Amino acid sequence: MDAEYEFQPAFTLMTANLGPGESIKVEPGAMVAQSSDVSVSTGRASKGGLMKGLFKAVVGGESFFVNTYTAGPSGGWISMAPSAPGDVSTFDLTPGEGLYMQGGAFMACSPNVEYDTKFQGAKALLSREGGFFLRAFSQGGPGQVFYSSYGAVKELEVTPDAPIIVDNGHLVAFTEGVSYGVAPSGGLKTTMFGGEGFVLRLTGAGKVWIQTRNIEALAGKLIPFMPKSSN
């Protein structure tokens, strides 16, 4: 499908132009506007049993349901935007390829794309990225994934000879072939008092996308100034 982007990178609005009968799966609440000849239906976001689906929704940071928008005989369009100020990016999936995203990054995908949650193991205890990532993969043919960030998105390359380090809370997505480990940002004093704590060391071969802002850092600055409720 043809996707257009406006107001990048701080307040991105993405418009998917659909051909006759073409569909797109969209995270609930992301739709901003649409043409009148586009219909919508709601279904389960992931396959499997009810409890398994609920578990994935809770730990993966995504909705239990997903909306499918389908264009009429003359085609149509749908505009969407993420809940937080930031950018929207497109990733083109090939069969057998996976894209890993932080919880809450998924916004939309083509109909043949499915997604699942992947547990990150004990290292997640030291990572503010969360214990689970969302893995999107194509089911029969190429597909597209549209994901969002808080702030602008930057693409980085990881090679076996050039691993990178990313601050906690700034990792948005990475391709299959990239893995990460949690490491202290420096010595004991730096790790405890340097403001970075633990960082992510990404190794392997593939692409990584980072965001320029950290929503947890913003929340940490706002919470001390929140007015207290009176009893």
Side-chain angles (χ1 to χ4, degrees):
M1 68 189 70
D2 174 49
E4 298 178 358
Y5 297 93
E6 301 174 90
F7 317 118
Q8 288 180 299
F11 301 100
T12 303
L13 179 75
M14 190 202 90
T15 298
N17 296 303
L18 305 174
E22 190 174 18
S23 298
I24 182 173
K25 295 194 292 190
V26 180
E27 179 78 358
M31 193 277 285
V32 175
Q34 67 176 77
S35 58
S36 59
D37 52 353
V38 172
S39 61
V40 59
S41 60
T42 302
R44 292 264 300 276
S46 60
K47 298 179 180 179
L50 177 62
M51 295 307 298
K52 184 178 181 181
L54 287 171
F55 175 77
K56 291 178 181 179
V58 171
V59 302
E62 307 300 328
S63 300
F64 180 69
F65 294 101
V66 67
N67 294 325
T68 299
Y69 292 84
T70 304
S74 300
W77 57 268
I78 171 175
S79 294
M80 61 200 86
S83 56
D87 209 349
V88 178
S89 297
T90 306
F91 184 79
D92 294 319
L93 282 172
T94 58
E97 184 181 25
L99 176 70
Y100 291 84
M101 296 169 283
Q102 68 168 347
F106 171 80
M107 193 180 76
C109 65
S110 50
N112 62 321
V113 171
E114 302 291 340
Y115 46 91
D116 203 348
T117 50
K118 294 294 180 182
F119 180 53
Q120 299 306 302
K123 60 188 175 184
L125 299 175
L126 300 175
S127 168
R128 292 199 299 271
E129 297 296 336
F132 293 82
F133 277 102
L134 203 68
R135 177 181 179 266
F137 53 96
S138 174
Q139 293 280 67
Q144 291 178 301
V145 180
F146 305 93
Y147 61 93
S148 64
S149 66
Y150 176 50
V153 174
K154 181 176 181 177
E155 180 183 302
L156 300 172
E157 190 81 20
V158 175
T159 67
D161 298 326
I164 64 171
I165 293 174
V166 177
D167 179 63
N168 260 311
H170 285 271
L171 180 62
V172 178
F174 54 93
T175 57
E176 207 107 42
V178 174
S179 59
Y180 83 88
V182 180
S185 57
L188 180 61
K189 183 178 180 181
T190 299
T191 301
M192 294 183 64
F193 305 109
E196 302 300 331
F198 289 90
V199 294
L200 305 178
R201 179 180 174 85
L202 294 111
T203 58
K207 294 181 179 180
V208 173
W209 290 269
I210 59 173
Q211 58 190 12
T212 59
R213 296 294 182 267
N214 183 335
I215 200 162
E216 286 192 2
L218 174 64
K221 288 185 175 294
L222 293 177
I223 288 176
F225 301 101
M226 294 287 286
K228 296 181 179 180
S229 59
S230 57
N231 295 325

